[in-house]
Amino acid sequence: MSDDTKKTPNRRRFIKLSVMGIALAPMTNLLFNQNAHAFRARSVSSVAVKIPRLPENDRQAMALGYKEDAALVDTDKYKVADGANCRNCQLYSGSDEDQWGPCAIFSYRIHPLLNQNFVVNAKGWCRSWAMKAG
Ligand code: SF4
């Protein structure tokens, strides 16, 4: 057998695989894009049901000593009036039933992933607390 005849099957297989690769490339690309799209859709829907909680480690929250639970406020650092929490604060506008609600101090800020205004915990506290009137 000559060298040419030995190479021919390999060359044919190479050409066949190349053609298949070229043909499959757009399909795999489409598949990956669909998976990426599905992943993004899942991420967005799982984020959408979440609450845009103000993180305690937010710079402004830290500056005001905000805690999601008033019982965990550093009382060596801050004087907390008895029973004071976000729910009975003048600046809180959440409903009586909700665990989280807007605070006038933080509500102008937007949660970067949820694209909604930050909310604070009704049981929380920060040093801007002021007794709700009435
Ligand atoms: Fe809570 Fe009032 Fe402080 Fe806002 S200002 S975080 S409602 S205590």
Side-chain angles (χ1 to χ4, degrees), residues 54 64 66-67 84-93 101-106 120-122 124-130:
L54 174 71
L64 294 175
Y66 170 76
K67 291 286 179 193
N85 58 43
C86 292
R87 194 182 298 286
N88 58 28
C89 175
Q90 183 69 33
L91 300 167
Y92 184 75
S93 57
C103 160
I105 289 181
F106 300 106
V120 296
N121 194 308
W125 181 91
C126 87
R127 69 187 176 123
S128 293
W129 179 86

Side-chain angles (χ1 to χ4, degrees), residues 1-132:
M1 202 181 287
S2 74
D3 278 350
D4 274 354
T5 52
K6 281 184 190 168
K7 286 180 186 172
T8 303
N10 284 340
R11 188 176 299 151
R12 278 195 190 137
R13 189 183 310 149
F14 174 77
I15 291 169
K16 214 185 244 179
L17 288 174
S18 298
V19 169
M20 283 173 59
I22 290 167
L24 288 175
M27 290 168 66
T28 53
N29 194 20
L30 183 68
L31 191 66
F32 282 119
N33 279 344
Q34 281 180 340
N35 282 342
H37 180 73
F39 176 76
R40 274 195 298 274
R42 260 198 316 274
S43 301
V44 168
S45 66
S46 66
V47 163
V49 295
K50 290 188 176 175
I51 298 166
R53 300 172 182 188
L54 174 71
E56 289 181 346
N57 64 358
D58 172 82
R59 192 186 304 173
Q60 186 182 6
M62 286 174 68
L64 294 175
Y66 170 76
K67 291 286 179 193
E68 289 183 2
D69 183 348
L72 301 178
V73 172
D74 181 354
T75 51
D76 290 338
K77 210 169 171 184
Y78 304 109
K79 185 172 177 3
V80 182
D82 283 347
N85 58 43
C86 292
R87 194 182 298 286
N88 58 28
C89 175
Q90 183 69 33
L91 300 167
Y92 184 75
S93 57
S95 73
D96 287 345
E97 302 80 38
D98 291 339
Q99 179 67 44
W100 298 85
C103 160
I105 289 181
F106 300 106
S107 62
Y108 71 94
R109 296 191 38 222
I110 305 290
H111 189 288
L113 297 176
L114 301 171
N115 199 28
Q116 296 172 27
N117 295 95
F118 277 119
V119 290
V120 296
N121 194 308
K123 292 179 181 170
W125 181 91
C126 87
R127 69 187 176 123
S128 293
W129 179 86
M131 177 59 91
K132 190 174 271 188

